[in-house]
Amino acid sequence: MGGITSSIASKFAFFPPSPPSYSVIGDESCAGRLLIPEVPRRDNVDVLKLRTRRGNEIVAVHLKHPKASATLLYSHGNAADLGQMFELFVELSLRPLSPKRRKRSRNNNFVLSRPSSSATTTVVVANGDPPFRKVTGLAVRFDYSGYGQSTGKPTECNTYADIDAVYKCLKEQYGLKDDQLILYGQSVGSGPTLDLASRLPNLRAVILHSPILSGLRVLYPVKRTYWFDIYKNIDKIGMVNCPVLVIHGTADEVVDCSHGKHLWELSKEKYEPLWLNGGGHCNLELYPEFIKHLKKFVLTVGKSKAATNGSKSTTVDSDRQSKPAESGTSDASQVGSDLPEVSRNSLDSRLEKSKKSNKPEKSRMSTDCSERHRRRRGLVW
């Protein structure tokens, strides 16, 4: 029964572009190195195929930069794949777009001038200034199972395995440490982002962009977590031990702004949130405040981590004089480590205290008309 219900929920959560907007081939002149032929080749970009623990093979893109201070692992929304925003993603991580190389899409987002790109972008640039330029330098984006050239089907469990596979690759292939990693989840991407963040105690930071409390809560304002719900972010946010930035538009008609506010209230290490007045679900990047706040946050957590590491090194040096150093320890916890269960009732009771309401539960969107509603308004998570 649970599998059937989760399968039905997945149909309302995932809308992978069909057909995929890109392909992946091996370059025989470079020992079979993978590339995406639909976009210009770049030496500082690694195209990867990663095997997940659930047996799927997903596509990821790793953008390298010699002076990177952190790595941004980005989990996208539910209606785009890697090819539709590949060039833009690369440009944003390396340098600002020139006026000649950008145009406005139908929803007023800036996209690269590529005839093959027709998707609603989820990463854009405002005023030609990329949000993480000269701040992180490294960025990783991946397609969920069933998206683009990734095999399998898009499900909640598969997205958890997908982000775990990317994290494992960053650790083993690129030597990434947890305190260098910033997890960024947009919309439905907040699900895999918070799932991984809840299991890694030493992350540098987490950014939640128009996040959801849970899948069911997007459709209905329920007061408790049901067993068949998906992406139960409300139950996981309390296990995140790093600074959390939440950004949400006050006029979001897809995921109500209350989702972002409740997640921020439940965060352990709250950072000043950004509630963009009049902002919708897919246009927050056009607000100048969005770019400024992101930069401020990334720089702040970077300085905080540097100060923390400095104090730790002083402590370690003094400890070495009194006892031998321990061996066999790890900088980061392993993916899949056992985690204590968090009481769902206690989390929901905290939400009750923050926002009391005597009104009966009322459906915002019935399941039998949600598809029609989504197509009429172009809803995306």
Side-chain angles (χ1 to χ4, degrees):
M1 183 65 178
I4 295 176
T5 309
S6 296
S7 177
I8 294 174
S10 295
K11 291 182 179 179
F12 289 94
F14 303 108
F15 305 102
S18 182
S21 67
Y22 69 98
S23 58
V24 178
I25 63 174
D27 185 357
E28 299 300 331
S29 64
C30 294
R33 181 182 178 184
L34 298 178
L35 57 86
I36 297 177
E38 290 83 1
V39 298
R41 179 175 175 178
R42 300 174 184 273
D43 293 334
N44 63 321
V45 176
D46 289 340
V47 179
L48 309 167
K49 283 190 175 182
L50 308 174
R51 180 71 61 176
T52 74
R53 64 172 182 271
R54 295 177 64 86
N56 297 322
E57 190 175 63
I58 64 169
V59 178
V61 173
H62 182 254
L63 310 176
K64 298 174 292 185
H65 193 283
K67 298 182 180 180
S69 60
T71 294
L72 180 75
L73 176 50
Y74 174 76
S75 298
H76 62 77
N78 68 345
D81 67 17
L82 187 59
Q84 292 173 334
M85 58 181 73
F86 180 89
E87 275 195 78
L88 180 59
F89 191 62
V90 171
E91 291 284 352
L92 289 179
S93 300
L94 301 178
R95 59 183 181 273
L97 297 175
S98 64
K100 295 182 179 179
R101 293 210 47 171
R102 66 187 184 191
K103 66 177 182 180
R104 285 188 181 272
S105 68
R106 287 174 297 179
N107 61 357
N108 289 326
N109 291 344
F110 285 122
V111 296
L112 288 183
S113 301
R114 289 175 52 228
S116 61
S117 178
S118 59
T120 300
T121 59
T122 52
V123 180
V124 298
V125 55
N127 301 322
D129 193 10
F132 294 98
R133 179 173 175 254
K134 296 182 180 179
V135 177
T136 59
L138 281 179
V140 182
R141 189 196 186 282
F142 64 100
D143 263 346
Y144 307 130
S145 296
Y147 278 73
Q149 295 301 323
S150 297
T151 64
K153 296 181 179 181
T155 67
E156 178 189 16
C157 290
N158 277 343
T159 59
Y160 295 156
D162 298 338
I163 196 172
D164 282 358
V166 179
Y167 169 75
K168 181 180 179 182
C169 173
L170 290 174
K171 295 279 291 182
E172 297 179 353
Q173 187 169 330
Y174 295 97
L176 181 75
K177 295 182 179 179
D178 284 7
D179 61 5
Q180 298 172 321
L181 181 61
I182 299 174
L183 298 183
Y184 188 122
Q186 180 169 2
S187 193
V188 77
S190 61
T193 291
L194 283 177
D195 182 74
L196 179 60
S198 68
R199 294 178 279 127
L200 300 176
N202 299 317
L203 287 174
R204 177 169 295 191
V206 167
I207 300 171
L208 301 177
H209 177 156
S210 304
I212 63 175
L213 283 168
S214 72
L216 186 59
R217 285 176 171 85
V218 176
L219 302 176
Y220 299 93
V222 296
K223 303 299 182 183
R224 54 171 291 189
T225 299
Y226 293 91
W227 59 270
F228 52 82
D229 202 353
I230 63 173
Y231 293 124
K232 305 177 185 69
N233 292 339
I234 186 175
D235 295 335
K236 297 177 181 179
I237 186 68
M239 293 184 284
V240 177
N241 296 314
C242 63
V244 175
L245 167 64
V246 181
I247 303 174
H248 217 120
T250 61
D252 193 328
E253 295 184 353
V254 182
V255 180
D256 192 79
C257 188
S258 60
H259 287 245
K261 290 184 177 180
H262 286 166
L263 287 173
W264 180 79
E265 290 169 1
L266 295 173
S267 300
K268 285 183 179 179
E269 293 192 37
K270 298 177 178 65
Y271 185 83
E272 179 186 357
L274 180 60
W275 315 126
L276 288 169
N277 188 28
H281 192 66
C282 300
N283 66 347
L284 302 187
E285 302 88 343
L286 295 176
Y287 289 75
E289 304 95 317
F290 176 87
I291 303 298
K292 294 177 181 178
H293 208 73
L294 276 180
K295 283 188 173 183
K296 180 182 176 182
F297 175 68
V298 174
L299 289 171
T300 299
V301 295
K303 293 178 181 178
S304 175
K305 182 60 65 174
T308 302
N309 290 341
S311 62
K312 285 184 178 179
S313 62
T314 303
T315 304
V316 170
D317 289 338
S318 61
D319 288 346
R320 284 176 179 173
Q321 298 176 4
S322 58
K323 64 179 180 179
E326 296 180 2
S327 61
T329 58
S330 173
D331 285 35
S333 61
Q334 296 296 317
V335 171
S337 60
D338 294 333
L339 292 170
E341 268 190 45
V342 174
S343 170
R344 293 172 179 172
N345 291 332
S346 63
L347 288 177
D348 286 323
S349 64
R350 289 170 62 186
L351 289 180
E352 286 292 336
K353 293 179 181 179
S354 64
K355 183 178 180 181
K356 294 183 179 180
S357 175
N358 297 322
K359 296 181 181 180
E361 292 181 11
K362 182 178 179 182
S363 169
R364 287 173 53 204
M365 185 193 308
S366 61
T367 54
D368 59 349
C369 70
S370 61
E371 178 66 17
R372 183 172 70 256
H373 185 81
R374 182 185 67 81
R375 289 184 177 180
R376 183 170 72 253
R377 292 197 177 189
L379 303 185
V380 291
W381 291 12

